[in-house]
Amino acid sequence: MKSYDAIVIGAGHNGLVAATYLAKAGRKVLVVEQRSMVGGIAVTEEFHPGFRFSSVVSGAGSLSPEVIADLGLQQHGLEFLPSEAVIFAPQPDGSALTIWNDTARTVQEIERFSAEDASHYP
């Protein structure tokens, strides 16, 4: 029977960070994950043929510069690509709403759905 100092349940980005710090501190760590892939919100997935996304974009601020440096994530290929779009929300009818970094551009986008909501956005 194997023995571990720590068992991390969930191989999302938080679990992987915790497990890495524990392993770097010399602990024997087991990470268990229900899904067939690790990474949680840090995974890039294909949600429709030819369309891929990474939901970490909205949570990028949760990866502190200290953690990025401590774990050498940039040396392992971590790269944040800037985007003018903050949120892209496709709708069942085939239309889509995009929230932009630019407030005026977002107001124009919302106006396509609701002039009243657009007027309150700023």
Side-chain angles (χ1 to χ4, degrees), residues 8-16 31-34 37-41 43:
V8 176
I9 300 172
H13 73 289
N14 288 322
L16 293 173
V31 179
V32 293
E33 172 58 48
Q34 179 180 3
M37 64 179 79
V38 300
I41 68 165
V43 171

Side-chain angles (χ1 to χ4, degrees), residues 80-98:
F80 291 108
L81 303 174
S83 173
E84 293 180 24
V86 177
I87 298 171
F88 175 74
Q91 304 300 306
D93 66 1
S95 64
L97 172 68
T98 304

Side-chain angles (χ1 to χ4, degrees), residues 55-68:
S55 57
V56 79
V57 173
S58 65
S62 66
L63 293 172
S64 76
E66 181 181 36
V67 169
I68 291 170

Side-chain angles (χ1 to χ4, degrees), residues 1-106:
M1 178 179 210
K2 292 188 177 187
S3 163
Y4 299 95
D5 298 312
I7 298 173
V8 176
I9 300 172
H13 73 289
N14 288 322
L16 293 173
V17 167
T20 303
Y21 275 114
L22 288 164
K24 285 179 74 168
R27 303 296 190 266
K28 189 172 179 183
V29 182
L30 172 67
V31 179
V32 293
E33 172 58 48
Q34 179 180 3
R35 296 184 65 190
S36 62
M37 64 179 79
V38 300
I41 68 165
V43 171
T44 298
E45 296 185 81
E46 187 172 57
F47 68 91
H48 183 76
F51 294 91
R52 298 172 56 94
F53 81 104
S54 174
S55 57
V56 79
V57 173
S58 65
S62 66
L63 293 172
S64 76
E66 181 181 36
V67 169
I68 291 170
D70 284 353
L71 304 185
L73 298 180
Q74 290 178 324
Q75 293 88 329
H76 292 286
L78 176 66
E79 181 181 4
F80 291 108
L81 303 174
S83 173
E84 293 180 24
V86 177
I87 298 171
F88 175 74
Q91 304 300 306
D93 66 1
S95 64
L97 172 68
T98 304
I99 305 298
W100 303 94
N101 283 322
D102 179 323
T103 301
R105 191 172 179 188
T106 299

